[in-house]
Amino acid sequence: MSPLFEEIIEEPASADVPTRRVAITVNGQRRVAEVEPRLLLAHLLRQGFKLTGTHLGCDTTNCGACTVLVDGKAIKSCTMLAVQADGHEVTTVEGLASMSELSPIQEGFKDEHGLQCGFCTPGMMLSATAMLAENPNPTEEDVRWALSGNLCRCTGYQNIVKAVLWAAAKMRGEEPSHEGAA
Amino acid sequence: MYPSRFRYEAPRSLDDAIALLQAGQGEAKVLAGGQSLVPLLKLRFAAPELLVDINNLPGLDYHRVDPDGTIRIGALCRHATLERSPLLVERQPTMAAAAPLVADPLVRNRGTLVGSLCHADPQGDWAAVVTALGGRVVAAGPRGRREIPIGEFVTGPFENALRYDEIAVEAVIPASKGQPAGGYLKLERRVGDFATAAAAVALELSGDVVTRAGIALCGVGPSTIDATDAGRALTGRTLTAAAIEEAADLAAAAAQPRTDHRGSAAYKRQVVRTFVTRILRNVVSTAERAA
Ligand SMILES: Cc1cc2nc3c(=O)[nH]c(=O)nc-3n(C[C@H](O)[C@H](O)[C@H](O)COP(=O)(O)OP(=O)(O)OC[C@H]3O[C@@H](n4cnc5c(N)ncnc54)[C@H](O)[C@@H]3O)c2cc1C
Ligand code: FES
Ligand code: FES
């Protein structure tokens, strides 16, 4: 019986439920945990590793608030089992900033007012980070397409798109303009 | 909600995976991209005793074209790979058109085409595409491999023809004898939604004559609809306005839509007619531009 499991789900695992040891590199750091197979990656990150920047906004795999990067690809961590991340690299929003500096994406969200309540923001920033790694020179349409799996209930998306275009410009070494998207 | 308890295995060979399914006696389920199965587990609509995760099986993430033109898509080829595939853009326009319209970018990074066929959702996009293309599924089990035509593979809503100890390892699209043409159009209320109505059209052309036509519909019936009459109406003809209208009418007649929160039955039928017309007209104008 694993202590981590008890922390996450009220009913304790019975002795005959086998747990598994997983080793996951989270934000560059190797983490090891003993998990029951049914534990979702999102719950391991939040309750197990106390990385609460990964949000859970739905029960139906629709909202994208739980987006993290697994081996650089943006996925919904509420729809992957923690055991499936064994041996893989996971990046959460906590992994975006370096010690003293915000990442360009984070700066863009700050500069362009890309958030209101902030609930969708970690997922938005991770989807945007994955897109910019693949396409450093996105059009407004590319940005909207890449973020289309992430729902926002506050901003109306306009400033989110501007924030990502701002970050793209900054990462290309250009002076980001406040014009942004139309 | 949390899934109910299950045992989990992630075998590293196909033989081991099949052996696990066999030992599971029908209480085991294959886990591929997990983008349909994990949501079902979370809602406890599914509660298997054992999950056999096939993500660690080597060499199944391919999609390729054989020298004879046959297209093969391995069980671990993700929607996102197909969306970015130059090969499909060049060789298979119906698939290339559909790939970006499946679910949302996050789901596409995990979900698989073969898993989508296995899931057999009446609103699944790939089942309609593979039906229009006359494709088949390769199943591997303890007694070897067998090929199942898509029409026999999907046996009903959320039901497929696999035995409990079989894994679908590959989807096969037969080589196009003529010039492949066609497309996929889908009406959705928002990105990531399932189809209100969608139409897949797959043609083979010899000059301007249609030598084979497959038309299949999604979202407008209890299962994927193979509009065979509509396809037959085009075969052996050029894509005249009359031929296009006839095929579109037959496709609309084949639809069995139901009125629901996505729209009325009459509306969905009209969407089918419009989509088939648009795809066929686009084939004509693309050919005219190329000439
Ligand atoms: C928010 C959201 C939106 C979506 N929108 C769409 C959409 O618009 N159109 C659409 O078509 N789909 C949509 N989907 C479903 C998505 O395409 C899934 O990826 C797909 O249906 C299942 O593929 P998978 O690899 O994820 O399979 P899984 O979820 O892993 O498995 C699904 C089922 O198939 C079985 N299975 C899977 N692979 C195999 C195999 N190789 N052999 C034997 N059995 C197997 C499993 O046991 C399970 O029963 C959506 C999903 C979500 C969460
Ligand atoms: S929590 Fe909503 S998609 Fe994961
Ligand atoms: S800022 Fe509130 S949901 Fe996006």
Side-chain angles (χ1 to χ4, degrees):
Chain A
M1 195 167 70
S2 92
L4 180 61
F5 176 89
E6 283 183 311
E7 212 178 291
I8 293 162
I9 299 176
E10 293 114 36
E11 26 168 350
S14 62
D16 61 342
V17 176
T19 58
R20 281 186 169 240
R21 180 169 293 252
V22 294
I24 308 173
T25 305
V26 183
N27 301 329
Q29 206 189 343
R30 194 180 129 94
R31 313 281 299 250
V32 177
E34 193 78 34
V35 301
E36 223 204 289
R38 64 170 165 159
L39 186 71
L40 302 170
L41 177 59
H43 291 134
L44 175 64
L45 293 170
R46 285 180 56 82
Q47 279 105 320
F49 298 155
K50 309 287 183 215
L51 293 170
T52 52
T54 300
H55 294 164
L56 284 162
C58 73
D59 263 330
T60 50
T61 312
N62 272 296
C63 73
C66 61
T67 303
V68 302
L69 308 187
V70 174
D71 300 334
K73 296 233 156 56
I75 61 106
K76 295 175 179 174
S77 64
C78 72
T79 308
M80 183 171 175
L81 304 173
V83 278
Q84 295 189 285
D86 186 26
H88 294 273
E89 286 191 23
V90 174
T91 306
T92 69
V93 68
E94 288 88 348
L96 286 183
S98 60
M99 289 297 266
S100 57
E101 253 184 277
L102 295 178
S103 80
I105 289 280
Q106 290 172 308
E107 259 189 280
F109 271 74
K110 176 166 167 271
D111 233 70
E112 295 289 345
H113 305 285
L115 62 147
Q116 288 178 21
C117 80
F119 196 84
C120 69
T121 314
M124 288 286 179
M125 294 199 298
L126 286 158
S127 281
T129 300
M131 179 204 60
L132 291 179
E134 200 181 343
N135 175 10
N137 210 349
T139 62
E140 181 188 336
E141 182 61 22
D142 293 338
V143 174
R144 289 186 184 276
W145 189 254
L147 299 183
S148 58
N150 296 81
L151 303 184
C152 175
R153 281 294 176 257
C154 302
T155 64
Y157 302 97
Q158 297 294 85
N159 287 356
I160 293 177
V161 175
K162 285 185 196 169
V164 177
L165 290 170
W166 189 101
K170 167 120 188 189
M171 287 164 76
R172 291 193 301 267
E174 295 161 20
E175 190 59 43
S177 89
H178 282 279
E179 301 304 308
Chain B
M1 213 153 88
Y2 303 100
S4 47
R5 293 206 170 92
F6 50 77
R7 287 187 302 120
Y8 170 87
E9 296 290 346
R12 295 193 175 268
S13 81
L14 185 59
D15 286 348
D16 288 352
I18 291 168
L20 283 162
L21 290 178
Q22 214 178 0
Q25 302 269 349
E27 300 299 318
K29 260 202 164 300
V30 171
L31 175 64
Q35 300 303 293
S36 293
L37 183 52
V38 177
L40 290 177
L41 294 172
K42 287 200 292 181
L43 297 170
R44 300 203 180 188
F45 289 152
E49 193 270 323
L50 170 68
L51 277 195
V52 179
D53 183 350
I54 61 170
N55 284 281
N56 291 339
L57 299 187
L60 284 179
D61 61 355
Y62 59 88
H63 72 293
R64 62 163 189 262
V65 184
D66 287 351
D68 74 352
T70 306
I71 299 177
R72 297 181 185 274
I73 300 107
L76 291 176
C77 180
R78 317 275 168 186
H79 308 312
T81 305
L82 298 172
E83 179 186 6
R84 291 165 175 77
S85 165
L87 190 143
L88 288 188
V89 171
E90 197 187 316
R91 304 293 292 263
Q92 216 334 287
T94 310
M95 292 182 75
L101 301 180
V102 178
D104 65 47
L106 302 161
V107 170
R108 288 199 292 276
N109 276 337
R110 295 286 300 162
T112 65
L113 177 144
V114 171
S116 177
L117 298 181
C118 291
H119 191 54
D121 189 321
Q123 288 174 304
D125 295 297
W126 286 125
V129 170
V130 173
T131 300
L133 286 162
R136 48 192 197 271
V137 174
V138 180
R143 286 158 308 281
R145 294 185 176 225
R146 61 182 180 126
E147 295 208 350
I148 310 165
I150 186 72
E152 292 164 34
F153 183 77
V154 177
T155 51
F158 305 102
E159 278 175 24
N160 65 46
L162 293 175
R163 288 173 43 109
Y164 71 83
D165 54 6
E166 283 181 317
I167 293 177
V169 288
E170 183 178 86
V172 183
I173 308 299
S176 176
K177 290 183 200 74
Q179 174 67 32
Y184 188 75
L185 285 175
K186 172 179 179 180
L187 179 70
E188 50 187 7
R189 292 172 305 172
R190 55 179 162 73
V191 168
D193 194 18
F194 286 90
T196 300
V201 177
L203 307 180
E204 293 175 20
L205 300 173
S206 171
D208 58 1
V209 177
V210 177
T211 52
R212 182 194 172 277
I215 298 181
L217 313 174
C218 139
V220 287
S223 203
T224 305
I225 290 180
D226 188 355
T228 44
D229 289 347
R232 212 172 293 126
L234 293 173
T235 314
R237 296 173 73 178
T238 57
L239 291 174
T240 59
I244 291 175
E245 194 181 331
E246 193 182 326
D249 283 344
L250 286 168
Q256 305 163 31
R258 279 189 17 198
T259 296
D260 62 12
H261 58 288
R262 287 188 171 88
S264 71
Y267 169 65
K268 292 180 191 178
R269 206 183 284 284
Q270 184 56 30
V271 171
V272 167
R273 185 180 286 113
T274 304
F275 279 178
V276 171
T277 306
R278 273 190 203 161
I279 296 170
L280 292 172
R281 281 190 189 152
N282 186 45
V283 169
V284 174
S285 55
T286 307
E288 279 169 359
R289 270 198 306 275

